[in-house]
Structure formats: structure tokens, C-alpha cells
Amino acid sequence: MTDHTQILAEFLADVKPNQAVWALQDKSSGDWVVLDSINYEESEVMPLWSNSALAQEHCFDEWKDYQPAKITLADWLEFWIADLHEDDVIIGINWQDEKECLEMELGDFSQAVAEIEAL
């Protein structure tokens, strides 16, 4: 089993130079990918990737109408946290279909992001 601390550290190291994360957004409706958590019942997870190439790998089958969309860390901290908290959404780090992935509470993820955004 991969160490979750290492997964997060690698994700943050990848995110830091560009100060952005990537999510999938529907090209026509503007909706974002949010799906049922594989680790927590009754929870929804928003997958985020550390670069657009990783996000692009998931744009097929049910997500073929989606494209990678950049979310700056400043926007994440200013706008996204409140909306996702309201909807009780957790975060999937560099999410991979059919594989175990690191899912984090929104507050824990956002705290880690705030620390690298401040550097």
C-alpha cells in the first residue's frame, strides 16, 4: 500500500510551481466531475489532479465530454472551499479509475494547499 503522506507530498510538489490544480469540467454545461467516494459511504468526492495531462487521461467513456480545467490555488482558497464544504464533498488526490486513491477531508486538503500557496 502506498503511503498517503508521500502521495500528498508528491501532489503538492507538482502543484507548487504552477500554483494550480486540475479538475474535469463538462465542455457544454460547465458542470464539474464529482462522484461517489470509494472509501467513504454517503460521501461524494471531487477528483483533482496535479497537472492537466493526468486529468486528460480520464476524458473518455462517461467523461468524454469533459476537459481538464485549471483552478488556481488562490481561487481554490477564496471560492471553492465554501461551496464544497456546503455540499460536504471530499477531495480525491490524483484520482485514478478503479484504483485505490487518496481521499482527504476538504479542510485537511485545503490546509496543505494553503501552506504551499503561502511559500
Side-chain angles (χ1 to χ4, degrees):
M1 184 166 157
T2 311
D3 179 22
H4 288 171
T5 307
Q6 182 179 351
I7 293 171
L8 180 61
E10 289 171 2
F11 178 88
L12 295 174
D14 210 12
V15 165
K16 185 177 177 181
N18 299 316
Q19 296 285 300
V21 295
W22 296 83
L24 295 184
Q25 188 174 34
D26 187 283
K27 294 173 193 170
S28 55
S29 73
D31 290 340
W32 298 88
V33 167
V34 176
L35 57 145
D36 291 335
S37 167
I38 54 173
N39 296 316
Y40 303 99
E41 284 187 41
E42 310 285 323
S43 289
E44 288 189 317
V45 61
M46 180 177 191
L48 294 177
W49 293 272
S50 55
N51 63 61
S52 100
L54 287 174
Q56 183 65 49
E57 291 174 9
H58 300 280
C59 295
F60 64 93
D61 290 344
E62 74 223 76
W63 296 346
K64 69 181 181 301
D65 296 328
Y66 288 77
Q67 63 189 9
K70 182 178 188 176
I71 303 170
T72 66
L73 298 188
D75 281 353
W76 179 266
L77 296 170
E78 189 171 343
F79 304 112
W80 283 81
I81 295 171
D83 287 346
L84 292 174
H85 179 72
E86 200 173 283
D87 296 336
D88 208 22
V89 173
I90 61 176
I91 304 304
I93 305 293
N94 280 341
W95 191 84
Q96 296 181 33
D97 194 24
E98 305 302 322
K99 293 187 182 171
E100 182 180 333
C101 73
L102 173 58
E103 294 180 348
M104 295 182 69
E105 294 293 332
L106 178 64
D108 294 340
F109 174 78
S110 297
Q111 178 66 39
V113 165
E115 289 171 10
I116 66 161
E117 203 253 350
L119 298 176

